[in-house]
Coordinates of all heavy atoms in Angstrom, one line a residue:
M1 N 14.9 -45.8 17.3 CA 14.0 -45.5 16.2 C 12.6 -45.2 16.7 O 11.8 -44.6 16.0 CB 13.9 -46.8 15.3 CG 15.1 -47.0 14.4 SD 15.5 -45.6 13.4 CE 14.7 -46.0 11.9
K2 N 12.3 -45.7 17.9 CA 10.9 -45.4 18.4 C 10.7 -43.9 18.6 O 9.5 -43.5 18.7 CB 10.8 -46.2 19.8 CG 10.3 -47.6 19.6 CD 9.9 -48.1 20.9 CE 9.5 -49.6 20.8 NZ 9.6 -50.3 22.0
Q3 N 11.7 -43.2 18.7 CA 11.5 -41.7 19.0 C 11.0 -40.9 17.8 O 10.5 -39.8 17.9 CB 12.8 -41.1 19.5 CG 13.0 -41.5 21.0 CD 14.4 -41.2 21.5 OE1 15.3 -41.0 20.7 NE2 14.5 -41.2 22.8
I4 N 11.2 -41.5 16.6 CA 10.9 -40.7 15.4 C 9.4 -40.3 15.3 O 9.1 -39.1 15.1 CB 11.4 -41.4 14.1 CG1 12.9 -41.4 14.1 CG2 10.9 -40.8 12.8 CD1 13.6 -42.2 13.0
P5 N 8.5 -41.3 15.5 CA 7.1 -40.8 15.4 C 6.7 -39.8 16.4 O 6.0 -38.9 16.1 CB 6.3 -42.1 15.7 CG 7.3 -43.2 15.4 CD 8.6 -42.7 15.7
I6 N 7.3 -39.9 17.6 CA 7.0 -38.8 18.6 C 7.5 -37.5 18.1 O 6.8 -36.5 18.3 CB 7.7 -39.3 19.9 CG1 7.0 -40.5 20.5 CG2 7.6 -38.1 21.0 CD1 7.7 -41.2 21.6
A7 N 8.7 -37.5 17.6 CA 9.3 -36.2 17.1 C 8.4 -35.6 16.0 O 8.1 -34.4 15.9 CB 10.7 -36.5 16.5
I8 N 7.9 -36.5 15.1 CA 7.0 -36.0 14.0 C 5.7 -35.4 14.6 O 5.3 -34.3 14.3 CB 6.7 -37.1 13.0 CG1 7.9 -37.5 12.2 CG2 5.5 -36.7 12.1 CD1 7.8 -38.7 11.4
F9 N 5.2 -36.1 15.6 CA 4.0 -35.7 16.3 C 4.2 -34.3 16.9 O 3.4 -33.4 16.7 CB 3.5 -36.7 17.3 CG 2.3 -36.1 18.1 CD1 1.1 -36.1 17.6 CD2 2.6 -35.6 19.4 CE1 0.0 -35.6 18.3 CE2 1.5 -35.1 20.2 CZ 0.2 -35.1 19.6
A10 N 5.3 -34.1 17.6 CA 5.6 -32.9 18.3 C 5.7 -31.7 17.2 O 5.2 -30.7 17.5 CB 6.9 -33.0 19.0
C11 N 6.4 -32.0 16.1 CA 6.5 -31.0 15.1 C 5.1 -30.6 14.6 O 4.8 -29.4 14.3 CB 7.4 -31.4 13.9 SG 9.1 -31.6 14.4
T12 N 4.3 -31.6 14.3 CA 2.9 -31.3 13.8 C 2.1 -30.4 14.8 O 1.5 -29.5 14.5 CB 2.2 -32.6 13.5 OG1 3.0 -33.4 12.8 CG2 0.9 -32.3 12.8
A13 N 2.3 -30.8 16.1 CA 1.5 -30.0 17.1 C 2.0 -28.6 17.1 O 1.2 -27.7 17.2 CB 1.8 -30.7 18.5
I14 N 3.3 -28.4 17.0 CA 3.8 -27.0 17.0 C 3.3 -26.2 15.8 O 2.8 -25.1 15.9 CB 5.3 -27.0 17.1 CG1 5.8 -27.4 18.4 CG2 5.9 -25.6 16.7 CD1 7.2 -27.8 18.5
A15 N 3.3 -26.9 14.6 CA 2.8 -26.3 13.4 C 1.3 -25.9 13.5 O 0.9 -24.8 13.1 CB 3.0 -27.2 12.2
V16 N 0.5 -26.8 14.1 CA -0.9 -26.5 14.3 C -1.1 -25.3 15.2 O -1.9 -24.4 15.0 CB -1.7 -27.7 14.8 CG1 -3.1 -27.4 15.2 CG2 -1.7 -28.8 13.6
A17 N -0.4 -25.4 16.3 CA -0.5 -24.3 17.3 C -0.1 -22.9 16.7 O -0.7 -21.9 17.0 CB 0.4 -24.6 18.5
A18 N 0.9 -23.0 15.8 CA 1.3 -21.7 15.2 C 0.2 -21.1 14.4 O 0.2 -19.9 14.2 CB 2.5 -22.0 14.3
D19 N -0.7 -21.9 13.9 CA -1.8 -21.3 13.1 C -2.8 -20.5 13.9 O -3.6 -19.8 13.4 CB -2.6 -22.4 12.4 CG -1.9 -22.9 11.1 OD1 -1.0 -22.1 10.7 OD2 -2.2 -23.9 10.6
D20 N -2.8 -20.8 15.2 CA -3.9 -20.2 16.1 C -3.6 -18.7 16.5 O -4.5 -18.1 17.0 CB -4.0 -21.0 17.4 CG -4.6 -22.4 17.1 OD1 -5.2 -22.5 16.0 OD2 -4.5 -23.3 18.0
W21 N -2.4 -18.3 16.3 CA -2.2 -16.9 16.6 C -1.7 -16.1 15.4 O -1.1 -16.7 14.5 CB -1.2 -16.7 17.8 CG 0.1 -17.4 17.6 CD1 0.5 -18.7 17.8 CD2 1.3 -16.7 17.1 NE1 1.8 -18.9 17.5 CE2 2.3 -17.7 17.1 CE3 1.6 -15.4 16.7 CZ2 3.6 -17.4 16.7 CZ3 2.9 -15.1 16.3 CH2 3.9 -16.1 16.3
K22 N -1.9 -14.8 15.4 CA -1.4 -14.1 14.2 C -0.6 -12.8 14.7 O -0.8 -12.4 15.9 CB -2.5 -13.6 13.3 CG -3.5 -12.8 13.9 CD -4.7 -12.5 12.9 CE -5.7 -11.6 13.4 NZ -5.5 -10.2 13.3
L23 N 0.2 -12.3 13.9 CA 1.0 -11.2 14.3 C 0.0 -10.0 14.5 O -1.0 -9.9 13.8 CB 2.0 -10.8 13.2 CG 3.2 -11.8 13.1 CD1 4.0 -11.5 11.9 CD2 4.1 -11.7 14.4
P24 N 0.3 -9.0 15.4 CA -0.5 -7.9 15.5 C -0.5 -7.1 14.2 O 0.4 -7.2 13.4 CB 0.1 -7.0 16.6 CG 1.3 -7.7 17.0 CD 1.5 -9.0 16.3
D25 N -1.5 -6.3 13.9 CA -1.6 -5.4 12.8 C -0.3 -4.5 12.7 O 0.2 -4.2 13.8 CB -2.8 -4.5 12.8 CG -4.1 -5.4 12.6 OD1 -4.0 -6.5 12.1 OD2 -5.1 -4.9 13.1
E26 N 0.0 -4.1 11.5 CA 1.2 -3.3 11.4 C 1.1 -2.0 12.2 O 2.0 -1.5 12.8 CB 1.5 -3.0 10.0 CG 2.7 -3.7 9.5 CD 3.0 -3.5 8.0 OE1 3.1 -2.3 7.6 OE2 3.0 -4.5 7.3
N27 N -0.1 -1.4 12.2 CA -0.3 -0.1 12.9 C -1.5 -0.2 13.8 O -2.6 0.2 13.4 CB -0.5 1.0 11.8 CG -0.7 2.4 12.5 OD1 -0.5 2.5 13.7 ND2 -1.0 3.4 11.7
P28 N -1.3 -0.9 14.9 CA -2.5 -1.2 15.7 C -3.0 0.0 16.5 O -4.0 0.0 17.1 CB -2.0 -2.2 16.7 CG -0.5 -1.9 16.8 CD -0.1 -1.3 15.5
A29 N -2.2 1.1 16.6 CA -2.5 2.2 17.5 C -3.8 2.9 17.2 O -4.7 3.0 18.0 CB -1.4 3.2 17.6
F30 N -4.0 3.2 15.9 CA -5.2 4.0 15.6 C -5.9 3.4 14.4 O -5.3 2.8 13.5 CB -4.8 5.5 15.2 CG -4.3 6.2 16.4 CD1 -2.9 6.5 16.4 CD2 -5.1 6.7 17.4 CE1 -2.4 7.3 17.5 CE2 -4.6 7.4 18.4 CZ -3.3 7.7 18.5
K31 N -7.2 3.5 14.4 CA -8.0 3.0 13.2 C -7.5 3.6 11.9 O -7.3 4.8 11.9 CB -9.5 3.4 13.4 CG -10.2 2.6 14.5 CD -11.6 3.0 14.6 CE -12.2 2.6 15.9 NZ -13.5 3.1 16.2
A32 N -7.4 2.8 10.9 CA -7.0 3.3 9.6 C -8.0 4.2 9.0 O -9.2 3.7 8.8 CB -6.6 2.1 8.7
A33 N -7.7 5.4 8.6 CA -8.6 6.3 7.9 C -7.8 7.5 7.6 O -6.7 7.7 8.2 CB -9.8 6.7 8.8
P34 N -8.2 8.3 6.6 CA -7.4 9.6 6.4 C -7.3 10.4 7.6 O -8.3 10.6 8.3 CB -8.3 10.3 5.3 CG -9.1 9.2 4.7 CD -9.4 8.2 5.8
G35 N -6.1 10.8 8.0 CA -5.9 11.6 9.2 C -5.3 10.8 10.3 O -4.8 11.4 11.2
A36 N -5.3 9.5 10.2 CA -4.7 8.7 11.2 C -3.2 9.1 11.4 O -2.7 9.1 12.5 CB -4.8 7.2 10.9
E37 N -2.5 9.4 10.3 CA -1.1 9.7 10.4 C -0.9 11.0 11.2 O 0.1 11.2 11.8 CB -0.5 9.8 9.0 CG -0.9 11.0 8.1 CD -2.3 11.0 7.6 OE1 -3.0 9.9 7.7 OE2 -2.8 12.0 7.0
L38 N -1.9 11.9 11.2 CA -1.8 13.2 11.9 C -1.8 12.9 13.4 O -1.0 13.5 14.2 CB -2.9 14.1 11.6 CG -3.0 14.7 10.1 CD1 -4.2 15.5 9.9 CD2 -1.7 15.5 9.9
V39 N -2.7 12.0 13.8 CA -2.8 11.7 15.2 C -1.5 10.9 15.7 O -1.0 11.2 16.7 CB -4.1 10.8 15.5 CG1 -4.2 10.6 17.0 CG2 -5.3 11.6 15.0
Q40 N -1.1 10.0 14.8 CA 0.1 9.3 15.0 C 1.3 10.2 15.2 O 2.1 10.0 16.1 CB 0.3 8.3 13.8 CG 1.5 7.4 14.0 CD 1.1 6.2 14.8 OE1 0.0 5.7 14.8 NE2 2.1 5.7 15.6
A41 N 1.4 11.2 14.4 CA 2.5 12.1 14.4 C 2.4 13.2 15.5 O 3.5 13.7 16.0 CB 2.7 12.8 13.1
N42 N 1.2 13.5 16.0 CA 1.1 14.7 16.9 C 0.5 14.4 18.3 O 0.6 15.3 19.1 CB 0.2 15.8 16.2 CG 0.8 16.3 15.0 OD1 1.8 17.0 15.0 ND2 0.2 16.0 13.8
C43 N 0.1 13.2 18.5 CA -0.7 13.0 19.7 C -0.1 11.9 20.6 O -0.8 11.6 21.6 CB -2.1 12.7 19.4 SG -3.0 14.0 18.4
I44 N 1.0 11.3 20.3 CA 1.5 10.3 21.2 C 2.9 10.5 21.7 O 3.5 9.6 22.1 CB 1.3 8.9 20.5 CG1 2.0 8.8 19.2 CG2 -0.1 8.5 20.4 CD1 2.1 7.4 18.6
M45 N 3.3 11.8 21.6 CA 4.7 12.0 22.2 C 4.6 12.2 23.7 O 5.7 12.1 24.3 CB 5.4 13.2 21.4 CG 4.7 14.5 21.5 SD 3.6 14.7 20.2 CE 4.5 15.9 19.1
C46 N 3.4 12.5 24.2 CA 3.4 12.7 25.7 C 2.7 11.6 26.4 O 2.9 11.3 27.6 CB 2.6 14.0 26.0 SG 3.3 15.5 25.3
H47 N 1.7 10.9 25.7 CA 1.0 9.8 26.4 C 0.7 8.8 25.3 O 0.9 9.0 24.1 CB -0.3 10.3 27.1 CG -1.1 11.2 26.2 ND1 -1.8 10.8 25.1 CD2 -1.4 12.5 26.3 CE1 -2.4 11.7 24.5 NE2 -2.2 12.9 25.2
S48 N 0.2 7.6 25.8 CA 0.0 6.5 24.9 C -1.2 6.8 24.0 O -2.1 7.7 24.4 CB -0.2 5.2 25.7 OG -1.5 5.1 26.1
H49 N -1.4 6.0 23.0 CA -2.6 6.2 22.1 C -3.9 5.9 22.8 O -4.9 6.4 22.5 CB -2.4 5.3 20.9 CG -2.5 3.9 21.2 ND1 -1.3 3.2 21.6 CD2 -3.5 3.0 21.1 CE1 -1.7 1.9 21.8 NE2 -3.0 1.8 21.5
E50 N -3.7 5.1 23.9 CA -5.0 4.7 24.7 C -5.7 6.0 25.3 O -6.9 5.9 25.5 CB -4.6 3.7 25.8 CG -4.7 2.3 25.2 CD -3.3 1.6 25.4 OE1 -2.4 2.3 25.8 OE2 -3.2 0.4 25.2
Y51 N -4.9 7.0 25.6 CA -5.6 8.2 26.1 C -6.7 8.7 25.1 O -7.6 9.3 25.4 CB -4.6 9.3 26.3 CG -4.0 9.3 27.6 CD1 -3.1 8.3 28.0 CD2 -4.3 10.3 28.6 CE1 -2.5 8.3 29.3 CE2 -3.7 10.3 29.8 CZ -2.8 9.3 30.2 OH -2.2 9.3 31.4
I52 N -6.5 8.4 23.8 CA -7.4 8.8 22.8 C -8.4 7.7 22.4 O -9.6 8.0 22.4 CB -6.5 9.2 21.5 CG1 -5.7 10.5 21.9 CG2 -7.4 9.5 20.3 CD1 -4.5 10.6 21.0
T53 N -7.9 6.5 22.3 CA -8.7 5.5 21.8 C -9.7 4.9 22.8 O -10.6 4.2 22.5 CB -7.9 4.3 21.2 OG1 -7.1 3.8 22.2 CG2 -7.0 4.7 20.0
T54 N -9.5 5.2 24.1 CA -10.4 4.7 25.1 C -11.3 5.7 25.6 O -12.0 5.5 26.6 CB -9.6 4.0 26.3 OG1 -8.7 5.1 26.8 CG2 -8.7 2.9 25.8
Q55 N -11.4 6.9 25.0 CA -12.3 7.9 25.4 C -13.7 7.4 25.0 O -13.9 6.7 24.0 CB -12.0 9.2 24.8 CG -10.7 9.9 25.2 CD -10.7 10.1 26.7 OE1 -11.6 10.6 27.3 NE2 -9.5 9.8 27.3
P56 N -14.8 7.9 25.7 CA -16.1 7.7 25.2 C -16.3 8.4 23.9 O -15.4 9.3 23.6 CB -17.0 8.3 26.3 CG -16.1 9.1 27.2 CD -14.7 8.7 27.0
A57 N -17.3 8.1 23.1 CA -17.5 8.7 21.8 C -17.8 10.2 22.0 O -18.9 10.6 22.4 CB -18.6 8.0 21.1
F58 N -16.8 11.0 21.7 CA -16.9 12.4 21.8 C -17.6 13.0 20.5 O -17.4 12.4 19.4 CB -15.6 13.1 21.9 CG -14.9 13.0 23.2 CD1 -13.6 13.4 23.3 CD2 -15.5 12.5 24.3 CE1 -12.9 13.3 24.6 CE2 -14.9 12.4 25.5 CZ -13.6 12.8 25.7
T59 N -18.3 14.1 20.6 CA -18.7 14.8 19.4 C -17.5 15.5 18.9 O -16.4 15.6 19.5 CB -19.8 15.9 19.8 OG1 -19.2 16.9 20.7 CG2 -21.0 15.3 20.4
R60 N -17.6 16.1 17.7 CA -16.5 16.8 17.1 C -16.1 18.0 18.0 O -14.9 18.3 18.2 CB -16.8 17.3 15.7 CG -15.6 17.8 14.9 CD -16.0 18.3 13.5 NE -14.9 18.5 12.6 CZ -14.1 19.6 12.6 NH1 -14.4 20.5 13.5 NH2 -13.1 19.7 11.8
D61 N -17.1 18.7 18.6 CA -16.8 19.8 19.5 C -16.1 19.4 20.7 O -15.2 20.1 21.2 CB -18.1 20.5 19.9 CG -18.6 21.5 18.8 OD1 -17.8 21.7 17.8 OD2 -19.7 22.0 18.9
Q62 N -16.4 18.2 21.2 CA -15.7 17.7 22.4 C -14.3 17.4 22.1 O -13.4 17.7 22.8 CB -16.4 16.5 23.0 CG -17.7 16.9 23.7 CD -18.5 15.6 24.1 OE1 -18.8 14.7 23.2 NE2 -19.0 15.6 25.3
W63 N -14.1 16.8 20.9 CA -12.7 16.6 20.5 C -11.9 17.9 20.3 O -10.8 18.0 20.6 CB -12.6 15.7 19.2 CG -12.7 14.2 19.4 CD1 -13.7 13.4 19.0 CD2 -11.8 13.4 20.2 NE1 -13.5 12.1 19.5 CE2 -12.3 12.1 20.2 CE3 -10.7 13.7 20.9 CZ2 -11.7 11.1 20.9 CZ3 -10.0 12.7 21.6 CH2 -10.5 11.4 21.5
K64 N -12.7 18.9 19.7 CA -12.0 20.2 19.5 C -11.6 20.7 20.9 O -10.4 21.2 21.0 CB -13.1 21.1 18.9 CG -12.5 22.3 18.3 CD -13.5 23.1 17.5 CE -12.9 24.4 16.9 NZ -13.9 25.1 16.1
A65 N -12.4 20.6 21.9 CA -12.1 21.1 23.2 C -10.9 20.4 23.8 O -10.0 20.9 24.4 CB -13.3 21.0 24.1
S66 N -10.9 19.1 23.5 CA -9.8 18.2 24.1 C -8.5 18.6 23.4 O -7.5 18.7 24.1 CB -10.2 16.8 23.8 OG -9.2 15.9 24.3
V67 N -8.5 18.8 22.1 CA -7.3 19.1 21.4 C -6.8 20.5 21.8 O -5.6 20.7 22.0 CB -7.5 19.0 19.8 CG1 -6.3 19.6 19.1 CG2 -7.7 17.5 19.4
A68 N -7.8 21.4 21.9 CA -7.4 22.8 22.4 C -6.7 22.8 23.7 O -5.8 23.5 24.0 CB -8.7 23.7 22.4
K69 N -7.2 21.9 24.6 CA -6.6 21.7 25.9 C -5.2 21.2 25.8 O -4.3 21.7 26.5 CB -7.5 20.8 26.8 CG -7.0 20.5 28.1 CD -7.9 19.5 28.8 CE -7.3 18.8 30.0 NZ -8.1 17.8 30.6
M70 N -5.0 20.2 24.9 CA -3.6 19.7 24.7 C -2.7 20.8 24.3 O -1.6 20.9 24.7 CB -3.6 18.6 23.7 CG -4.4 17.3 24.0 SD -3.9 16.6 25.6 CE -5.5 16.6 26.4
Q71 N -3.2 21.7 23.5 CA -2.4 22.8 23.0 C -2.1 23.8 24.1 O -1.0 24.2 24.3 CB -3.0 23.5 21.7 CG -3.1 22.5 20.6 CD -3.8 23.2 19.4 OE1 -5.1 23.4 19.4 NE2 -3.1 23.5 18.4
A72 N -3.2 24.3 24.7 CA -3.1 25.4 25.6 C -2.5 25.0 26.9 O -1.6 25.7 27.4 CB -4.5 26.0 25.8
K73 N -2.9 23.9 27.5 CA -2.4 23.5 28.8 C -1.1 22.8 28.8 O -0.3 23.0 29.6 CB -3.5 22.6 29.5 CG -4.6 23.3 30.2 CD -5.1 22.4 31.3 CE -6.1 23.2 32.1 NZ -6.8 22.3 33.1
Y74 N -1.0 21.9 27.8 CA 0.2 21.1 27.8 C 1.2 21.4 26.7 O 2.3 20.8 26.6 CB -0.2 19.6 27.7 CG -1.2 19.2 28.7 CD1 -2.4 18.5 28.4 CD2 -1.0 19.4 30.1 CE1 -3.4 18.2 29.3 CE2 -2.0 19.1 31.0 CZ -3.1 18.4 30.6 OH -4.0 18.1 31.6
G75 N 0.9 22.4 25.9 CA 1.8 22.8 24.8 C 2.0 21.9 23.7 O 3.1 21.8 23.1
A76 N 1.0 21.1 23.3 CA 1.1 20.2 22.2 C 1.4 21.0 20.9 O 0.7 21.9 20.6 CB -0.2 19.4 22.0
P77 N 2.5 20.6 20.3 CA 2.9 21.4 19.1 C 2.2 20.9 17.9 O 2.6 20.0 17.2 CB 4.4 21.1 19.0 CG 4.6 19.7 19.6 CD 3.5 19.5 20.6
L78 N 1.1 21.5 17.6 CA 0.2 21.0 16.5 C 0.1 22.1 15.4 O -0.3 23.2 15.7 CB -1.2 20.7 17.1 CG -2.2 20.0 16.2 CD1 -1.6 18.6 15.8 CD2 -3.5 19.8 17.1
P79 N 0.5 21.8 14.2 CA 0.4 22.8 13.1 C -1.0 23.3 13.0 O -1.9 22.4 12.8 CB 0.9 22.1 11.9 CG 1.7 20.9 12.4 CD 1.0 20.5 13.7
P80 N -1.3 24.6 13.0 CA -2.7 25.0 13.0 C -3.4 24.6 11.7 O -4.6 24.3 11.8 CB -2.6 26.6 13.0 CG -1.2 26.9 13.4 CD -0.3 25.7 13.2
E81 N -2.8 24.4 10.6 CA -3.5 24.0 9.4 C -3.8 22.6 9.4 O -4.6 22.1 8.5 CB -2.6 24.4 8.2 CG -1.4 23.6 7.9 CD -0.2 24.0 8.7 OE1 -0.3 24.9 9.6 OE2 0.9 23.4 8.5
K82 N -3.3 21.8 10.4 CA -3.7 20.4 10.4 C -4.8 20.1 11.4 O -5.3 19.0 11.4 CB -2.4 19.6 10.9 CG -1.2 19.8 10.2 CD -1.1 18.9 9.0 CE 0.3 19.0 8.4 NZ 0.4 18.6 7.1
V83 N -5.2 21.1 12.2 CA -6.2 20.8 13.2 C -7.5 20.3 12.7 O -8.1 19.4 13.2 CB -6.4 22.1 14.1 CG1 -7.5 21.9 15.1 CG2 -5.1 22.4 14.9
D84 N -8.0 20.9 11.6 CA -9.3 20.5 11.0 C -9.3 19.1 10.6 O -10.2 18.3 10.9 CB -9.7 21.4 9.9 CG -10.7 22.5 10.3 OD1 -11.2 22.4 11.4 OD2 -10.9 23.4 9.5
A85 N -8.3 18.7 9.9 CA -8.2 17.3 9.4 C -8.1 16.3 10.5 O -8.7 15.3 10.5 CB -7.0 17.2 8.4
L86 N -7.3 16.8 11.6 CA -7.2 15.9 12.7 C -8.5 15.7 13.5 O -8.9 14.6 13.9 CB -6.1 16.5 13.6 CG -5.6 15.7 14.8 CD1 -4.1 15.8 14.9 CD2 -6.2 16.1 16.1
L87 N -9.2 16.8 13.6 CA -10.5 16.7 14.3 C -11.5 15.9 13.5 O -12.3 15.1 14.0 CB -11.1 18.2 14.5 CG -10.4 19.0 15.6 CD1 -11.0 20.4 15.6 CD2 -10.5 18.3 16.9
N88 N -11.5 16.0 12.1 CA -12.4 15.2 11.3 C -12.1 13.7 11.6 O -13.0 12.9 11.7 CB -12.1 15.5 9.8 CG -12.7 16.8 9.4 OD1 -13.5 17.4 10.2 ND2 -12.2 17.4 8.3
Y89 N -10.8 13.4 11.6 CA -10.4 12.0 11.9 C -10.9 11.5 13.2 O -11.5 10.5 13.4 CB -8.9 11.8 11.8 CG -8.5 10.5 12.3 CD1 -8.6 9.3 11.4 CD2 -8.0 10.3 13.6 CE1 -8.2 8.1 11.9 CE2 -7.6 9.0 14.0 CZ -7.8 7.9 13.2 OH -7.4 6.7 13.6
L90 N -10.6 12.4 14.3 CA -11.0 11.9 15.6 C -12.6 11.8 15.7 O -13.1 10.8 16.3 CB -10.6 13.0 16.6 CG -9.0 13.0 16.9 CD1 -8.7 14.2 17.8 CD2 -8.6 11.7 17.6
A91 N -13.3 12.7 15.1 CA -14.8 12.7 15.2 C -15.3 11.5 14.5 O -16.2 10.8 14.9 CB -15.4 14.0 14.7
Q92 N -14.7 11.1 13.3 CA -15.2 10.0 12.5 C -14.8 8.7 13.1 O -15.5 7.7 13.1 CB -14.7 10.2 11.1 CG -15.7 11.1 10.3 CD -15.0 11.7 9.1 OE1 -14.1 11.1 8.5 NE2 -15.6 12.8 8.6
S93 N -13.5 8.6 13.6 CA -13.0 7.3 14.1 C -13.3 7.1 15.5 O -13.4 5.9 15.9 CB -11.5 7.2 13.8 OG -11.3 7.4 12.4
Y94 N -13.3 8.1 16.3 CA -13.5 7.9 17.8 C -14.6 8.9 18.3 O -14.5 9.3 19.5 CB -12.2 8.2 18.5 CG -11.1 7.2 18.1 CD1 -10.2 7.5 17.2 CD2 -11.2 5.9 18.6 CE1 -9.2 6.6 16.7 CE2 -10.2 4.9 18.1 CZ -9.3 5.3 17.2 OH -8.3 4.4 16.8
G95 N -15.6 9.2 17.5 CA -16.6 10.1 17.9 C -18.0 9.5 17.8 O -18.1 8.4 17.4
K96 N -19.0 10.4 18.1 CA -20.3 9.9 18.0 C -20.7 9.4 16.6 O -21.4 8.5 16.5 CB -21.3 11.1 18.3 CG -21.2 11.5 19.8 CD -22.5 11.3 20.5 CE -22.5 12.0 21.8 NZ -21.9 11.3 22.9
A97 N -20.1 10.0 15.6 CA -20.3 9.6 14.2 C -19.8 8.2 13.9 O -20.2 7.6 13.0 CB -19.7 10.6 13.2
A98 N -18.9 7.8 14.8 CA -18.2 6.5 14.5 C -19.1 5.3 14.7 O -18.9 4.2 14.2 CB -17.0 6.4 15.4
K99 N -20.2 5.5 15.5 CA -21.0 4.3 15.8 C -21.8 3.7 14.7 O -22.2 4.3 13.8 CB -21.9 4.7 16.9 CG -21.1 4.9 18.2 CD -22.0 4.8 19.4 CE -21.1 4.8 20.7 NZ -21.9 5.1 21.8
Ligands
HEC1 C1 2.7 18.1 25.0 C2 2.2 16.9 25.5 C3 0.9 16.3 24.9 C4 0.6 16.2 23.6 C5 1.4 16.4 22.4 C6 -0.8 15.6 23.6 N1 -1.3 15.5 24.8 FE1 -3.0 14.7 25.3 N2 -2.6 14.8 27.3 C7 -1.4 15.4 27.8 C8 -1.5 15.4 29.2 C9 -0.4 15.9 30.2 C10 -2.7 14.8 29.6 C11 -3.2 14.5 31.0 C12 -2.6 13.3 31.5 C13 -3.3 12.9 32.8 O1 -4.1 13.7 33.3 O2 -2.9 11.9 33.4 C14 -3.3 14.4 28.3 C15 -4.6 13.8 28.3 C16 -5.3 13.5 27.1 C17 -6.6 12.9 27.0 C18 -7.4 12.4 28.2 C19 -8.5 13.4 28.6 C20 -7.9 14.6 29.3 O3 -8.3 15.7 28.8 O4 -7.1 14.5 30.2 C21 -6.9 12.9 25.7 C22 -8.3 12.5 25.1 C23 -5.8 13.5 25.0 N3 -4.8 13.8 25.8 C24 -5.8 13.6 23.6 C25 -4.8 14.1 22.9 C26 -4.8 14.3 21.4 C27 -6.0 14.1 20.5 C28 -3.6 14.8 21.1 C29 -3.1 15.2 19.7 C30 -3.7 16.4 19.2 C31 -2.8 14.9 22.3 N4 -3.6 14.5 23.4 C32 -1.5 15.4 22.4 C33 -0.4 15.9 27.1 C34 -0.3 15.9 25.7

């Protein structure tokens, strides 16, 4: 019978510890904003999202050059009509405007 209080204590300790951590966000890769789905769909088939999220704050023109390089040099298959919205997202979420 002496073991019961110890068992209760152990269960409480586990329950308290469980409160200290939380599950990661559902979509941790990119900041939530209109256009995030475009980057998610078009920019992570060749490299991880960190290639994008760890860049210094680019201007929109710098993002434009970067995306153009992905297309021209590496053949990123990006629908032309999506480029503007994608650049808006990158500039706002990971650009100078983001600060
Ligand atoms: C077809 C493959 C491919 C796709 C799709 C792609 N990239 Fe890349 N990306 C690369 C390669 C290859 C590198 C260079 C990796 C290295 O140098 O280690 C790179 C590197 C980068 C870098 C690091 C800086 C640089 O210029 O090397 C950034 C930023 C980047 N990509 C952004 C993007 C964005 C934004 C998209 C979506 C529009 C995208 N990439 C889609 C292939 C791709």
Side-chain angles (χ1 to χ4, degrees):
M1 287 304 268
K2 272 189 184 160
Q3 282 167 344
I4 290 173
I6 293 169
I8 290 170
F9 172 77
C11 289
T12 311
I14 290 166
V16 169
D19 280 345
D20 289 345
W21 60 274
K22 61 185 182 83
L23 288 170
D25 295 336
E26 250 176 57
N27 181 6
F30 294 107
K31 290 180 194 169
E37 72 288 352
L38 295 173
V39 184
Q40 184 79 33
N42 295 291
C43 300
I44 55 172
M45 62 271 255
C46 301
H47 49 67
S48 82
H49 67 278
E50 273 120 353
Y51 272 70
I52 294 157
T53 59
T54 59
Q55 294 300 317
F58 286 171
T59 62
R60 194 178 192 280
D61 280 350
Q62 286 170 313
W63 275 120
K64 194 173 182 178
S66 182
V67 170
K69 175 180 161 187
M70 295 305 126
Q71 295 177 288
K73 275 205 172 171
Y74 306 128
L78 192 58
E81 73 277 7
K82 307 271 190 204
V83 172
D84 259 351
L86 191 137
L87 289 175
N88 289 343
Y89 170 78
L90 288 172
Q92 274 158 25
S93 300
Y94 298 101
K96 292 244 192 278
K99 289 197 171 164

